[in-house]
Amino acid sequence: MISLLKFSARTFVSLLLPVSAALAQIQQPDPKVDAQALQWLLRIHAATQKLSYTGTFVYQHRDQMETSRIARYVDASGPYERLESLGGSMPREIIRSRDQVTCYLPESMTVKIDKQNADRSFPAILPAQVKDLGENYSIRMGEVERVAGYDCQVIVLSPRDKMRYGHKLWADKETGMLLRARTFDERNNLIETFEFTQLQIGNVDRSMVKSRFALKGKDWKVENSAAKDVNLVNLGWIVRSPPSGFRKIGEMHRVLGGTAGVGHILLSDGLAAVSVFIEPLASKQAEFAGLARQGAINVYARRMGEHWITVVGDAPADSVKYFANAIEYRKPQ
C-alpha cells in the first residue's frame, strides 16, 4: 500500500482550480513575496494544466535514479496522461483519465485503480491559489538558466518554518512549462530532483495516452481503492491543531491492502501534501511502527488504541510525526 502511494504521490496530483480565480486574488501586492515571482508561479500552473506535451524526465534521490516517459493530452473533456517507467525488467505504466488513475504492474499482473482527489505531480506541482504559498514560503526570483535546451527562469521557495521543504523551480521562459524541480531538506541539503531531459510541446493526439496494457490487463488481478468521500469528523476522527498553512482538502474511506473502510485524510499547504491513514488494528499482521523515508517522502506509523495511524507526506520527518500525534478520536455523541 505504502509503495504505491509513494509512487503515485510524486506522479499524479493536481489542484485544478480556475487560474482566473487565482489571478483575481493577487491584484493587491503581498509584502511577503516577490510579485513577479508569484506571476511566474501562476504561469507554471497554467502551463502544466493547459499544455499537451510529450517528454522524458528523470527522478533522482540520493544514489537512486528513475527515468520515465510522459505524454499529456488535453481537450474539452479534461486531461489525459500516460506515464511509463523506463527502468526495471518490465515497464510500469500509469494512466490518468480525468479523475481516475490506473496503475498497471506487469511483474505481478496487477491493475491498481484509484480516485484522483488532489495531487502535485511533476510537472504540475503547484496549486492555482499560489498567493497562499506566501504565508509559509519566502518566494523570490532566481537567475535564468538552461534546461533541456530551453531558457528557464528560476523561482526559489524557502520555507518559513521546519514543517515543510524548500523548493527551486526552473520554468521555460516562453511557455512557463516547468522543466526542473529540486527539493531541499531543513538543512538545505538536496534530497530529490525531477528534470526533463527531452520535451516536445504540442503535436499530441489521444492515441499517445492510451495504455499499452489495457487489453492484457483484463485478465490481471484488479485492486480498486473504491475511494468514497466521507466526513471523518462525524465518525469521531479529527486532526488537532494542524501546522500553519495546512488545510484539509479531502476525507474519504478507501480499500487498501484488501482492507475496506480505511480512513484517509488529505491535507496540504498548497505545495506539501500529507496523507493520514486510519486503519483497524485487526486488519494488520505486522505493521511497522516508527519512521521510514524514501527521497522526500517520510512515513510515520503508530498504534492508537485499536487502530494504526500511518502518515505519508512529502514533508520533513518532524512534520509527519506531528500529524501522527495530532490525530484524535472523540466518540460521536
Side-chain angles (χ1 to χ4, degrees):
M1 178 268 286
I2 294 299
S3 61
L4 175 60
L5 287 166
K6 286 190 284 189
F7 184 72
S8 61
R10 306 304 292 170
T11 314
F12 290 107
V13 192
S14 57
L15 299 176
L16 302 181
L17 301 175
V19 175
S20 58
L23 285 167
Q25 293 185 44
I26 65 168
Q27 296 304 309
Q28 298 299 321
D30 187 336
K32 298 178 183 178
V33 297
D34 184 319
Q36 187 179 4
L38 272 182
Q39 292 291 343
W40 265 101
L41 294 183
L42 285 173
R43 285 195 67 194
I44 293 171
H45 174 81
T48 52
Q49 298 304 320
K50 71 182 182 182
L51 294 179
S52 296
Y53 54 83
T54 59
T56 301
F57 69 87
V58 174
Y59 165 62
Q60 183 172 7
H61 69 94
R62 296 185 179 177
D63 58 347
Q64 298 184 33
M65 180 181 296
E66 182 173 351
T67 303
S68 300
R69 181 185 297 120
I70 186 171
R72 178 181 172 88
Y73 174 78
V74 182
D75 63 14
S77 65
Y80 301 86
E81 295 175 357
R82 176 179 180 270
L83 185 141
E84 179 184 16
S85 175
L86 301 181
S89 58
M90 297 188 72
R92 293 172 297 177
E93 182 187 70
I94 297 179
I95 301 295
R96 173 188 169 195
S97 178
R98 288 173 288 184
D99 65 347
Q100 179 172 298
V101 176
T102 305
C103 182
Y104 294 92
L105 303 174
E107 299 94 328
S108 59
M109 298 180 66
T110 302
V111 181
K112 294 181 180 285
I113 301 173
D114 202 354
K115 172 185 176 182
Q116 178 188 342
N117 193 302
D119 148 315
R120 285 164 359 294
S121 65
F122 181 76
I125 65 171
L126 292 168
Q129 293 175 311
V130 296
K131 178 186 73 69
D132 294 340
L133 294 176
E135 297 177 8
N136 299 289
Y137 298 88
S138 171
I139 307 172
R140 63 178 177 84
M141 300 283 286
E143 304 295 326
V144 174
E145 300 178 8
R146 297 275 287 174
V147 178
Y150 292 82
D151 288 330
C152 293
Q153 175 63 55
V154 177
I155 308 296
V156 181
L157 298 95
S158 302
R160 298 183 184 278
D161 58 31
K162 295 184 179 181
M163 302 302 282
R164 59 209 92 224
Y165 292 133
H167 302 270
K168 193 172 181 180
L169 311 176
W170 283 255
D172 173 32
K173 292 197 68 177
E174 183 175 344
T175 65
M177 181 74 181
L178 185 62
L179 299 187
R180 178 192 288 161
R182 288 180 177 171
T183 303
F184 300 86
D185 66 14
E186 54 272 28
R187 296 183 178 84
N188 204 35
N189 296 317
L190 178 64
I191 53 176
E192 85 175 3
T193 299
F194 288 93
E195 179 173 348
F196 273 105
T197 56
Q198 178 274 326
L199 176 68
Q200 176 180 305
I201 299 174
N203 298 318
V204 181
D205 60 58
R206 185 70 177 272
S207 66
M208 299 172 71
V209 294
K210 291 183 178 180
S211 172
R212 60 181 289 192
F213 296 110
L215 293 178
K216 296 178 182 178
K218 291 180 179 180
D219 299 322
W220 295 359
K221 178 176 68 174
V222 177
E223 297 180 4
N224 194 325
S225 73
K228 181 180 179 180
D229 292 338
V230 297
N231 188 326
L232 292 175
V233 174
N234 289 345
L235 298 177
W237 295 102
I238 65 169
V239 181
R240 184 182 63 253
S241 303
S244 172
F246 281 93
R247 298 175 178 85
K248 189 186 301 181
I249 57 176
E251 292 179 290
M252 65 199 79
H253 270 156
R254 58 168 69 241
V255 177
L256 289 177
T259 301
V262 176
H264 179 192
I265 303 172
L266 182 60
L267 305 103
S268 177
D269 68 353
L271 193 57
V274 175
S275 284
V276 179
F277 298 95
I278 304 165
E279 194 165 356
L281 184 66
S283 70
K284 306 303 292 184
Q285 297 299 316
E287 176 67 83
F288 82 94
L291 182 70
R293 176 175 175 176
Q294 179 178 340
I297 301 295
N298 277 297
V299 182
Y300 187 79
R302 74 180 184 96
R303 179 175 175 175
M304 180 180 172
E306 296 304 309
H307 291 82
W308 278 105
I309 307 298
T310 304
V311 180
V312 182
D314 53 347
D318 287 348
S319 187
V320 297
K321 287 181 183 179
Y322 182 100
F323 278 103
N325 292 319
I327 295 298
E328 189 174 285
Y329 177 75
R330 298 176 182 174
K331 188 175 181 179
Q333 298 297 320

